[in-house]
Amino acid sequence: GAGVSQSPSNKVTEKGKDVELRCDPISGHTALYWYRQSLGQGLEFLIYFQGNSAPDKSGLPSDRFSAERTGGSVSTLTIQRTQQEDSAVYLCASSIQNTGELFFGEGSRLTVL
Amino acid sequence: GENVEQHPSTLSVQEGDSAVIKCTYSDSASNYFPWYKQELGKGPQLIIDIRSNVGEKKDQRIAVTLNKTAKHFSLHITETQPEDSAVYFCAASIRGGGADGLTFGKGTHLIIQP
């Protein structure tokens, strides 16, 4: 399809393991965002990529979280040494620069046991 | 930084009635206010937005109002239908309409009772 694609849709892992979550943005969208949605909470901004500029990492909650965007397209969010409080839905979104509208994927649900 | 408060957290209305969701923001420099709808198992989707140079915007059964003096904005849904059941998020940004810099509220779970 032509929408934002995320994988895996569900991931169950053990505390202390590393996980990688993938996002394929809409073709031609220069901006890519990661958000975290915890139960009963809003959308927590994590990181923002715009073209070739340095990413805005101001929302990353700890140094266990990192993200890359290769070739201006696909992005991977990595969580090292996962903790139970990392359990959440991780949403990726893309947009055309400065248009305002975010196009979200369906999210990756992470459960840390 | 910006802080967005959203009320109520849950709203139950009878089908056909109106629903109103309210948000307040803290940064008077905020100038872009979108509303997103999230259906179960899906990502949020933009349904309407408003910029600070207007006070109201309508799109069929949906309207948004903005009071810059009081720093609050509201979503109004009229003639509610079962497919309106979802979680709604408001957001505010100082970035003039760019999607970066959005701060979201915690969401309102709207339930339409048949």
Side-chain angles (χ1 to χ4, degrees):
Chain A
V4 175
S5 178
Q6 291 189 245
S7 61
S9 54
N10 278 287
K11 175 72 176 178
V12 179
T13 190
E14 293 179 347
K15 177 181 171 180
K17 300 282 190 183
D18 297 353
V19 296
E20 286 188 350
L21 308 176
R22 176 188 168 106
C23 173
D24 248 302
I26 294 173
S27 177
H29 281 195
T30 56
L32 186 147
Y33 311 75
W34 284 98
Y35 285 86
R36 179 167 69 177
Q37 185 174 24
S38 304
L39 190 63
Q41 298 298 309
L43 300 170
E44 178 189 5
F45 166 75
L46 297 177
I47 189 168
Y48 159 58
F49 296 89
Q50 174 57 57
N52 295 321
S53 301
D56 177 355
K57 304 179 182 180
S58 60
L60 294 178
S62 78
D63 58 8
R64 295 187 296 105
F65 288 73
S66 63
E68 289 185 340
R69 188 178 186 192
T70 54
S73 181
V74 172
S75 177
T76 302
L77 177 69
T78 301
I79 309 173
Q80 295 179 309
R81 305 182 301 282
T82 51
Q83 305 293 314
Q84 288 184 331
E85 59 262 31
D86 299 334
S87 296
V89 175
Y90 290 83
L91 289 163
C92 176
S94 68
S95 74
I96 301 172
Q97 184 178 7
N98 292 330
T99 63
E101 182 172 4
L102 290 171
F103 293 84
F104 283 89
E106 295 193 343
S108 292
R109 179 176 296 278
L110 175 64
T111 303
V112 182
L113 302 177
Chain B
E2 175 67 279
N3 182 48
V4 176
E5 299 283 341
Q6 183 171 350
H7 301 280
S9 57
T10 303
L11 177 61
S12 181
V13 301
Q14 289 293 124
E15 182 178 349
D17 288 350
S18 295
V20 181
I21 302 170
K22 299 181 179 181
C23 289
T24 61
Y25 60 98
S26 60
D27 192 336
S28 57
S30 288
N31 51 20
Y32 174 63
F33 308 91
W35 286 87
Y36 282 79
K37 175 184 180 182
Q38 185 177 28
E39 297 177 347
L40 194 62
K42 304 284 188 181
Q45 184 174 10
L46 180 70
I47 54 170
I48 194 167
D49 58 12
I50 191 168
R51 287 171 168 76
S52 59
N53 57 343
V54 297
E56 183 175 358
K57 184 176 179 181
K58 287 188 72 173
D59 183 2
Q60 299 182 343
R61 297 186 296 108
I62 293 173
V64 58
T65 57
L66 172 64
N67 183 326
K68 285 167 39 180
T69 303
K71 290 189 285 188
H72 68 70
F73 56 113
S74 301
L75 178 71
H76 305 253
I77 306 174
T78 58
E79 300 171 17
T80 52
Q81 300 170 5
E83 54 264 36
D84 295 329
S85 292
V87 178
Y88 292 80
F89 293 97
C90 63
S93 171
I94 63 171
R95 305 283 177 93
D100 60 310
L102 281 174
T103 299
F104 284 88
K106 291 191 175 182
T108 296
H109 185 192
L110 176 62
I111 302 165
I112 308 300
Q113 302 279 7

